[in-house]
Amino acid sequence: AEHQHARYNPLRDDWVLVSAHRVKRPWQGQLEKPPPEDVPRWDPNNPLCPGATRANGEVNPQYEGTFVFPNDFPALQPDAPEPDDCDHPLFRAAPARGVCKVMCFHPWSDLTLPLMSLPEIRAVIDAWAELATELGATYPWVQIFENKGAMMGCSNPHPHCQVWASSFLPNEARLEDRTQRQHLSQHGVPMLLEYAEQEAHRKERLVVENADWLVVVPYWATWPYQTMLLPRRHVCRLQDLSDSERDNLASIMQRLLIKYDNLFEVSFPYSMGWHGAPTGPYLEEDCRHWQLHAHYYPPLLRSATVRKFMVGYEMLAQAQRDLTPEQAAERLRSLPEVHFK
């Protein structure tokens, strides 16, 4: 807890430097602006609100639950042309096609997931699973992700996420596919199923748990209050979850996100996303090595205004963190599960 050491991340096949003593150093660097407290419930100029006009001239319906629409500025398009042939192995290019969608969680802009009801969160989970099934019928990878807060690049104060489906496996997916495949081959059990069982027994990095799920600060966590959400049973994809598992997922997400907000009494910023077995052509392949999981990557380190910067050593050498995962987990675990608001 007091001396630097390195920890191995078997999921990414890399290492993180843990330097717990550095959290004590004085800070005279950049201070972030806390998120605004006066977000209007409905704003005709917010393109995610019901009835608002988006940049392409489309008018949103008066939706009352979740609402999915094509991203007006997609990073991937289904009909992109083939790149030119490569004339040298150091100058390779490959086709990249897909679709990008936006999903609003709720019609009110002044809500976030921890402030929504369990049935409303369950509706989000069902919509995620529906999109994963629909897009996964064609595309090998469907990435569901939420950027929460302006600090994480969120440009609209409205509860929403994005879903990008691609004709290729992205870097993180290919890496996790390789490491999980190797672990199953060498040990005969899916890596993250074994890891969840170990963390449930050890409890030192456990944040919250219920009958079907557990949330831990991973042993190899990079970000200060990074967490991983894991099912207790072997399940490959989000759409494979049972009704009871979806109900318990809504509950554990709400509990975790309330703790996040309570940590510094602020709407806690993060990037999160789901990783599960590839889809499209991979639906016919053996993907037993995969275990469904969600990553939460929050940047805040000491307060609502002091964040962790991944620069210098982190960019040029390897990841480094300023408190141990055990310290982070204990702090999160001890927080109340009633929202500070």
Side-chain angles (χ1 to χ4, degrees), residues 178-192:
R178 175 176 65 81
T179 57
Q180 290 180 96
R181 189 184 298 275
Q182 288 175 344
H183 188 93
L184 181 64
S185 174
Q186 295 171 3
H187 302 280
V189 60
M191 177 199 296
L192 293 181

Side-chain angles (χ1 to χ4, degrees), residues 2-155:
E2 295 297 328
H3 302 286
Q4 67 268 17
H5 60 282
R7 296 192 184 192
Y8 179 64
N9 181 345
L11 192 58
R12 300 197 74 259
D13 188 25
D14 64 10
W15 292 80
V16 57
L17 175 63
V18 182
S19 310
H21 56 284
R22 274 173 55 85
V23 78
K24 300 174 183 177
R25 74 190 192 279
W27 182 260
Q28 294 181 341
Q30 178 172 314
L31 298 179
E32 308 295 330
K33 290 183 179 180
E37 295 284 345
D38 55 349
V39 175
R41 180 156 290 182
W42 184 84
D43 180 355
N45 296 316
N46 186 331
L48 301 184
C49 282
T53 301
R54 303 203 306 275
N56 62 357
E58 294 280 338
V59 178
N60 295 335
Q62 294 291 340
Y63 65 92
E64 297 180 353
T66 59
F67 169 52
V68 179
F69 62 91
N71 194 314
D72 297 329
F73 302 96
L76 293 164
Q77 296 176 323
D79 53 358
E82 296 273 341
D84 294 336
D85 291 336
C86 307
D87 61 359
H88 191 282
L90 293 179
F91 301 93
R92 296 167 60 190
R97 300 187 178 94
V99 296
C100 299
K101 294 182 180 290
V102 176
M103 187 178 100
C104 295
F105 297 155
H106 196 281
W108 295 355
S109 294
D110 57 343
L111 285 187
T112 56
L113 279 171
L115 296 173
M116 288 165 53
S117 70
L118 289 177
E120 289 169 339
I121 299 173
R122 167 64 195 264
V124 170
I125 294 165
D126 288 339
W128 281 343
E130 185 177 336
L131 279 171
T133 301
E134 173 193 335
L135 298 174
T138 304
Y139 289 101
W141 190 254
V142 180
Q143 184 59 65
I144 298 167
F145 65 97
E146 179 194 5
N147 294 327
K148 182 186 175 212
M151 196 182 301
M152 302 309 294
C154 180
S155 57

Side-chain angles (χ1 to χ4, degrees), residues 273-296:
W274 286 99
H275 283 174
T279 49
Y282 294 90
L283 292 171
E284 304 302 320
E285 295 190 8
D286 184 359
C287 290
R288 286 177 300 157
H289 55 291
W290 269 92
Q291 174 74 330
L292 176 70
H293 58 285
H295 296 285
Y296 284 83

Side-chain angles (χ1 to χ4, degrees), residues 164-198:
W164 294 11
S166 61
S167 62
F168 55 91
L169 289 187
N171 293 342
E172 293 295 313
R174 286 190 291 109
L175 182 55
E176 289 194 4
D177 184 74
R178 175 176 65 81
T179 57
Q180 290 180 96
R181 189 184 298 275
Q182 288 175 344
H183 188 93
L184 181 64
S185 174
Q186 295 171 3
H187 302 280
V189 60
M191 177 199 296
L192 293 181
L193 181 63
E194 181 178 10
Y195 178 67
E197 292 171 350
Q198 284 289 319

